[in-house]
């Protein structure tokens, strides 16, 4: 954009309501994601007669290829859907569980007090492939071949390498050269960091998915039979065998500074399948907001809304100090509860009914004062919870550690990926695939992808709600969102970004509901995130009172937030989150995407 165009673009515009692009609108269908190629793939599926669920699967597989620094086949995924035939929102839990060998005793015997942030010990059962096959089989209409074809094409023939992918590879290039040669073979062609914009391929990954297709088609012409055969190739066939062999035989350097073998086995993969469950919901000002259960951090959005409901936001400036202060202080209370209470509800009782009750939040709301809190203040519920322990930011980040999030994890800038889709029939999908990013652990040479590191979210403390144990789900940060309005399915939205996800998700919603902003305006508005509470990622540090805020927020707001006791760090103009959103109202379909990072786009007609 030229300087002249920039001046024209910014002329006579309220800085809180201008948009970088139009909100997409039509009646046929909309797709929005964190990469323009994936959005185009999803829209192409709709154009060829596929439904929202077919499009979501094809889009997600494509994102594994074009954003490999943010997600991969070895990762995990929660999905929230609305299927018009079933007439209700549902959650598909694609969060793989801890392997049978992942015990606290084993990790302690390795001299560890935290699960490493990289390497094989941090791997859970990969959840993505089985989840997409479930969605395709039970809700979609297309074949395995049709939904995998775009991803295979881009992996085989190349896609323009993103600047952020290039930067991520550059950050871990020496790690790859010295310790992870199988990753160097894929991501350092000719032993060099590939240039931004160069056509990048991963032909081994293309071959893996091509082999799965051949296995699927060998079962005959029945679509369901092909999907089941593809699933078997993944979890009971050559993919599981290669993962098992790699974990048993390779001693891998990780963030502990030592080499470890993995504990994930083919048997772990064969035993696990994703499942469908009802969403956890909260009613707010005529909206019913739907999230995952407390095996993820999603309920913190609902807890924030339960607290925020007691304040009057109508008429507040969404870039003003009152609006920001109230959201930040309520987020601190909700995230403190996340640390104290959340865990896999199949193993621990999580008092969600109390946490979302009016009485509980009326008491908690009294803790929100004029000044910024510098303490961790979880609620007290008899018989529940754990002590929230802080690790101050004293441990330097090792190469590849932590989730690649938009926040201030130094050189590891990036995040996860996200997709929202609404088709002509009114089916809706919101999903946040993640994990298995290129710097999480070494590439498995026969497969062309690496395992995830979601197990780093477990605590190595017996009795903690989020304690490591075989078969447990780690408390993921992945947090898609859906909302009904007056009982009708209305909005799907979300953002990559680790612990920031449910902060930006809540900000978007509050701007949309109370400031009357459309989706694109709400995405483009100045944003922020708190680092007050413990990070979900290795090395699990916290920065009490720290508030990171975009420099587009007015100076008078920043000054007032500082006066109220917030430790304000001012980031660049466009540095917070990567929200996307899609909605349906009658026949109308709308979508919006984030300009931050210059990757996300919405499409529709």
């Amino acid at each position: 954009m030229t300087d002249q165009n920039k001046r024209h673009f910014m002329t006579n515009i309220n800085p809180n309501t201008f948009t970088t692009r139009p909100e997409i609108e039509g009646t046929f269908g909309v797709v929005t994601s964190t990469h323009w190629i994936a959005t185009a793939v999803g829209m192409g599926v709709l154009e060829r007669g596929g439904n929202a669920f077919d499009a979501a699967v094809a889009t997600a597989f494509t994102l594994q290829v074009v954003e490999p620094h943010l997600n991969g086949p070895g990762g995990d995924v929660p999905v929230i859907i609305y299927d018009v035939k079933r007439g209700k929102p549902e959650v598909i839990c694609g969060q793989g569980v801890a392997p049978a060998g992942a015990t606290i005793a084993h990790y302690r015997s390795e001299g560890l007090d935290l699960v490493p942030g990289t390497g094989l010990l941090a791997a859970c059962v990969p959840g993505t492939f089985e989840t997409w096959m479930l969605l395709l089989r039970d809700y979609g209409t297309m074949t395995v071949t049709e939904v995998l074809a775009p991803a295979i094409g881009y992996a085989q023939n190349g896609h323009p390498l993103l600047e952020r992918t290039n930067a991520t590879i550059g950050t871990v290039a020496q790690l790859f050269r010295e310790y992870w040669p199988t990753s160097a073979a894929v991501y350092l062609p000719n032993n060099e960091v590939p240039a931004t914009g160069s056509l990048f391929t991963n032909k081994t990954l293309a071959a893996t998915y091509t082999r799965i297709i051949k296995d699927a088609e060998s079962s005959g012409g029945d679509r369901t039979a092909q999907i089941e055969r593809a699933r078997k190739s993944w979890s009971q066939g050559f993919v599981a065998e290669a993962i098992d062999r790699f974990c048993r035989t390779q001693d891998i350097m990780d963030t502990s500074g030592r080499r470890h073998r993995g504990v994930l086995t083919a048997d772990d993969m064969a035993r696990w399948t994703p499942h469908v469950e009802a969403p956890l919901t909260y009613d707010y000002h005529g909206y019913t907001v739907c999230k995952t259960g407390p095996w993820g951090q999603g309920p913190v959005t609902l807890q924030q809304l339960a607290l925020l409901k007691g304040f009057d936001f109508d008429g507040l400036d969404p870039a003003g100090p009152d609006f920001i202060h109230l959201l930040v202080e309520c987020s601190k209370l909700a995230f403190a509860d996340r640390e104290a209470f959340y865990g896999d509800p199949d193993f621990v009782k999580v008092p969600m009914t109390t946490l979302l009750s009016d009485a509980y939040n009326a008491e908690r709301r009294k803790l929100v004062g004029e000044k910024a809190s510098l303490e961790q203040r979880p609620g007290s519920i008899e018989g529940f919870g754990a002590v929230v322990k802080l690790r101050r930011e004293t441990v330097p980040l090792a190469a590849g550690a932590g989730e690649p999030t938009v926040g201030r994890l130094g050189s590891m800038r990036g995040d996860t990926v996200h997709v929202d889709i609404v088709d002509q029939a009114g089916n809706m999908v919101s999903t946040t695939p993640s994990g298995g990013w290129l710097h999480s652990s070494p590439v498995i040479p026969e497969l062309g992808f690496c395992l995830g590191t979601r197990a780093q979210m477990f605590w190595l403390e017996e009795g903690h709600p989020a304690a490591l144990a075989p078969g447990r789900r780690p408390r993921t940060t992945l947090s898609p969102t859906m909302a009904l309005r007056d009982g009708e399915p209305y909005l799907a939205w979300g953002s990559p970004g680790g612990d920031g996800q449910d902060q930006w998700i809540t900000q978007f919603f509050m701007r949309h509901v109370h400031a009357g902003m459309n989706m694109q305006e709400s995405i483009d508005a100045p944003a922020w995130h708190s680092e007050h509470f413990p990070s979900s990622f290795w090395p699990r540090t916290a920065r009490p009172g720290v508030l990171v805020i975009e420099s587009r927020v007015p100076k008078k707001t920043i000054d007032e937030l500082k006066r109220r006791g917030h430790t304000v760090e001012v980031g660049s103009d466009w540095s917070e989150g990567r929200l996307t959103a899609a909605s349906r109202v009658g026949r109308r379909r709308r979508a919006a995407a984030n300009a931050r990072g210059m990757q996300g786009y919405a499409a529709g007609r």
Side-chain angles (χ1 to χ4, degrees):
M1 185 181 289
T2 66
D3 289 341
Q4 182 179 0
N5 286 338
K6 286 180 181 177
R7 286 193 294 271
H8 174 74
F9 178 69
M10 296 298 294
T11 301
N12 298 322
I13 299 175
N14 183 328
N16 297 333
T17 58
F18 79 85
T19 62
T20 57
R21 56 186 71 170
E23 185 179 67
I24 299 296
E25 183 171 356
T27 59
F28 176 75
V30 289
V31 179
T32 180
S33 83
T34 50
H35 195 292
W36 69 89
I37 288 177
T39 295
V41 165
M43 197 66 204
V45 169
L46 295 184
E47 296 284 3
R48 293 194 299 276
N51 64 19
F53 313 119
D54 299 314
V57 176
T59 301
F61 278 124
T62 301
L63 284 169
Q64 294 174 2
V65 175
V66 299
E67 293 192 301
H69 59 308
L70 307 178
N71 76 134
D76 24 56
V77 58
V79 190
I80 302 181
I81 63 172
Y82 187 92
D83 178 6
V84 293
K85 293 179 181 178
R86 290 169 171 81
K88 60 182 179 180
E90 296 176 299
V91 170
I92 303 176
C93 176
Q95 177 53 64
V97 299
T103 65
I104 291 176
H106 175 70
Y107 285 59
R108 291 287 189 182
S109 73
E110 295 285 339
L112 299 169
D113 63 350
L114 288 175
V115 178
T118 61
L120 298 179
L121 280 179
C124 289
V125 175
T128 56
F129 188 85
E130 285 274 17
T131 300
W132 300 132
M133 291 301 101
L134 183 154
L135 184 63
L136 184 67
R137 182 192 68 195
D138 296 349
Y139 301 87
T141 66
M142 288 185 161
T143 65
V144 177
T145 301
E146 288 173 313
V147 296
L148 272 172
I152 292 173
Y154 283 111
Q156 178 68 35
N157 302 318
H159 56 91
L161 193 74
L162 294 169
E163 183 277 331
R164 291 189 176 192
T165 313
N166 162 273
T168 301
I169 296 171
T171 300
V172 293
Q174 200 56 35
L175 170 71
F176 286 3
R177 292 184 180 110
E178 291 186 18
Y179 299 109
W180 296 3
T182 58
S183 293
V186 174
Y187 292 105
L188 297 174
N190 302 315
N191 200 31
E192 296 178 350
V193 176
T196 297
S198 61
L199 288 179
F200 184 80
T201 63
N202 186 341
K203 295 188 177 183
T204 304
L205 178 59
T208 294
Y209 280 145
T210 299
R211 182 174 173 182
I212 288 175
I213 284 177
K214 289 180 178 178
D215 286 350
E217 292 178 339
S218 70
S219 67
D222 180 77
R223 190 183 78 94
T224 299
Q226 289 185 6
I227 292 171
E228 290 304 310
R229 186 64 185 86
R231 291 183 57 219
K232 189 172 182 179
S233 292
W234 178 272
S235 60
Q236 300 176 48
F238 78 96
V239 174
E241 290 168 1
I243 290 172
D244 183 296
R245 185 165 53 250
F246 194 78
C247 288
R248 280 189 291 104
T249 62
Q250 301 301 307
D251 296 293
I252 300 303
M253 180 66 70
D254 57 39
T255 55
S256 70
R258 300 190 301 276
R259 295 179 181 271
H260 295 103
R261 293 191 180 187
V263 294
L264 179 64
T265 68
D267 188 53
D268 292 316
M269 293 185 63
R271 287 201 311 266
W272 181 84
T273 55
H275 68 273
V276 179
E277 61 187 44
L280 193 63
T281 64
Y282 187 78
D283 292 334
Y284 182 91
H285 286 254
Y287 297 82
T288 300
V289 181
C290 307
K291 301 293 286 188
T292 71
W295 50 267
Q297 76 173 16
V300 296
T301 285
L302 308 184
Q303 285 199 250
Q304 288 174 85
L305 294 177
L307 291 163
L308 294 167
K309 188 167 69 173
F311 299 101
D312 184 7
F313 279 88
D314 291 337
L316 286 185
D317 177 0
D322 291 337
F323 189 98
I324 296 174
H325 176 78
L326 288 173
L327 261 70
V328 170
E329 291 306 296
C330 288
S331 76
K332 291 176 182 178
L333 296 173
F335 277 88
D337 280 352
R338 179 195 74 168
E339 291 302 306
F341 298 110
Y342 289 17
D344 186 343
D346 290 344
F347 289 81
V348 296
K349 292 182 178 180
V350 182
M352 285 311 312
T353 300
T354 299
L355 292 173
L356 294 176
S357 68
D358 288 343
Y360 178 81
N361 285 285
E363 289 301 311
R364 298 282 281 160
R365 198 176 296 120
K366 295 174 183 178
L367 297 175
V368 178
E370 170 71 15
K371 292 291 186 178
S373 169
L374 301 180
E375 303 173 27
Q376 304 294 330
R377 298 183 293 179
S380 177
I381 303 175
E382 186 175 354
F384 297 92
V387 175
V388 178
K389 296 182 178 180
L390 293 189
R391 296 170 67 93
R392 301 283 175 164
E393 192 178 40
T394 57
V395 182
L397 274 178
E403 182 177 34
T405 177
V406 169
R408 52 172 306 285
L409 287 180
S411 58
M412 299 315 300
R413 297 184 65 84
D415 37 80
T416 292
V417 299
H418 187 79
V419 180
D420 297 301
I421 301 175
V422 186
D423 66 18
Q424 189 172 33
N427 298 306
M428 301 176 70
V429 179
S430 180
T431 182
T432 313
S434 186
W437 40 76
L438 66 88
H439 45 293
S440 61
S441 68
V443 166
I444 299 169
E446 302 98 318
L447 302 177
F449 65 84
C450 60
L451 295 172
T453 56
R454 196 63 57 179
Q456 67 184 287
M457 295 180 165
F458 286 116
W459 289 96
L460 299 182
E461 297 178 13
E462 297 287 356
H464 192 288
L468 176 67
R472 283 194 181 187
R473 291 171 285 184
R475 191 207 67 209
T476 179
T477 53
L478 305 177
S479 192
T481 321
M482 193 169 287
L484 313 182
R485 186 167 67 179
D486 298 325
E488 292 295 319
Y490 168 61
L491 181 65
W493 80 105
S495 174
D499 298 297
Q501 288 182 36
D502 285 284
Q503 299 183 64
W504 298 313
I505 284 167
T506 305
Q507 292 169 35
F508 168 95
F509 184 67
M510 296 295 287
R511 289 191 287 258
H512 186 59
V513 171
H514 291 287
M517 293 182 173
N518 69 27
M519 292 185 296
Q520 193 62 54
E521 290 169 340
S522 190
I523 287 172
D524 286 342
W528 61 89
H529 76 275
S530 170
E531 299 189 356
H532 174 81
F533 40 82
S535 167
S536 297
F537 296 89
W538 186 96
R540 311 300 294 269
T541 53
R543 306 176 73 220
V546 171
L547 174 60
V548 183
I549 199 162
E550 286 182 337
S551 57
R552 292 183 296 130
V553 172
K555 184 178 183 301
K556 63 180 181 180
T557 295
I558 294 173
D559 290 343
E560 174 60 16
L561 291 170
K562 290 179 178 178
R563 188 194 69 78
R564 296 188 189 188
H566 297 277
T567 304
V568 178
E569 295 182 359
V570 180
S572 58
D573 283 0
W574 299 90
S575 54
E576 292 287 317
R578 285 174 68 210
L579 285 154
T580 69
S583 70
R584 50 168 276 191
V585 179
R587 294 178 56 231
R588 294 176 181 267
R589 308 287 179 259
R590 298 186 178 98
N594 205 326
R596 297 168 176 89
M598 298 177 66
Q599 293 167 219
Y601 277 88
R605 67 171 180 86

